[in-house]
Amino acid sequence: MKKIFITTFLLFSICFSVFAQRRFPDISPKDLPVELVDKLNINEDVEKKLNKAYVRLQEDVINTMIIAKKEGDINQEDLKVELNGYRQKHLKKVKDFMPDTAYTTYEEFIMLDRRERREYILVLKLKLTPDQKEKYDAIQASNEQVISKIKEQYKGDREAMRDALIPLKKQQFQMLAQVLTEEQMEILKASVPKRGNRQPID
């Protein structure tokens, strides 16, 4: 009986992995970004516990999104509420073993949406000077305003929206090149998702 259970579990795990990779490329659970771990300034034991909990959070999120995708007709608001519930549960768990200062920073990170978390980690990687940070934020804020207008203008037409965003992205990079060093620009370019390749859910 035990062998049957183990075999069934292994088969389910394999099927889940294959299905996940087909539906959501490159979303396998990952440890926390090293840049965030450095910022949290936590010891090895806390880091190990936090990574374990973080991976579990990602698994819960991935499972939920796969089920929602399979069922079709996703209600984004309901999905958002459910995913936030997982995050709150996760935060409650890790608060027990995290230092207060580290927890505050981590909570801020976890409650960001996927795009905001990606930007948060990118800024940590860039290691901006105060002057660079001020200029970088100004460029990004201006860019966000234009993006919002484009999204509103081409609402429902993803292809047209994508085409409209391409020159904007080029302009943004040109402006950032005046602020960042060559090394920082390489980091920035490496952070841009390849077309058709989703980012991990973290």
Side-chain angles (χ1 to χ4, degrees):
M1 184 69 179
K2 188 175 181 180
K3 285 185 177 180
I4 294 174
F5 174 78
I6 293 173
T7 302
T8 303
F9 176 77
L10 289 173
L11 286 172
F12 174 78
S13 299
I14 293 170
C15 290
F16 168 80
S17 177
V18 172
F19 181 78
Q21 289 299 320
R22 286 180 178 176
R23 285 287 188 175
F24 303 96
D26 194 27
I27 61 168
S28 56
K30 293 174 174 57
D31 286 346
L32 287 164
V34 293
E35 295 80 11
L36 178 61
V37 174
D38 289 342
K39 183 176 177 64
L40 293 175
N41 193 26
I42 51 181
N43 63 42
E44 189 175 338
D45 182 54
V46 173
E47 180 185 348
K48 186 176 180 180
K49 290 179 180 178
L50 188 57
N51 268 323
K52 184 177 180 180
Y54 182 62
V55 166
R56 179 57 188 272
L57 170 63
Q58 293 173 83
E59 290 172 344
D60 288 339
V61 170
I62 292 169
N63 279 333
T64 300
M65 294 192 71
I66 287 175
I67 292 171
K69 185 77 173 180
K70 188 176 181 180
E71 292 177 349
D73 194 23
I74 301 173
N75 185 309
Q76 294 296 334
E77 285 303 314
D78 289 346
L79 182 60
K80 185 177 180 180
V81 170
E82 187 171 359
L83 296 182
N84 277 339
Y86 285 129
R87 294 189 184 101
Q88 293 291 354
K89 182 180 177 181
H90 167 75
L91 288 170
K92 185 177 180 180
K93 180 179 180 179
V94 302
K95 189 175 184 179
D96 291 338
F97 60 79
M98 289 188 72
D100 290 343
T101 304
Y103 175 79
T104 300
T105 300
Y106 184 69
E107 180 184 29
E108 176 189 347
F109 171 75
I110 286 296
M111 295 312 295
L112 296 173
D113 64 33
R114 184 172 56 184
R115 183 189 60 79
E116 290 170 335
R117 287 198 299 273
R118 195 162 59 232
E119 175 67 18
Y120 185 96
I121 296 302
L122 173 59
V123 170
L124 292 180
K125 287 181 178 180
L126 291 174
K127 298 179 180 178
L128 302 169
T129 65
D131 181 58
Q132 283 181 319
K133 184 69 166 61
E134 183 179 351
K135 294 175 181 176
Y136 179 91
D137 287 345
I139 293 172
Q140 295 297 79
S142 175
N143 193 60
E144 284 298 319
Q145 290 180 357
V146 179
I147 288 176
S148 295
K149 291 179 181 178
I150 290 176
K151 286 183 176 180
E152 185 63 32
Q153 181 180 352
Y154 295 101
K155 194 172 183 179
D157 190 343
R158 297 179 65 87
E159 193 65 33
M161 184 189 303
R162 186 161 49 234
D163 291 342
L165 289 173
I166 291 174
L168 176 64
K169 197 69 179 177
K170 289 181 179 179
Q171 182 183 30
Q172 178 194 21
F173 268 54
Q174 289 171 354
M175 294 174 69
L176 288 172
Q178 304 301 313
V179 175
L180 306 178
T181 65
E182 289 185 9
E183 183 180 355
Q184 288 171 322
M185 282 302 297
E186 288 302 315
I187 293 173
L188 178 64
K189 291 174 183 176
S191 73
V192 178
K194 291 182 175 60
R195 190 168 181 174
N197 186 28
R198 291 175 182 251
Q199 291 295 298
I201 299 173
D202 49 8

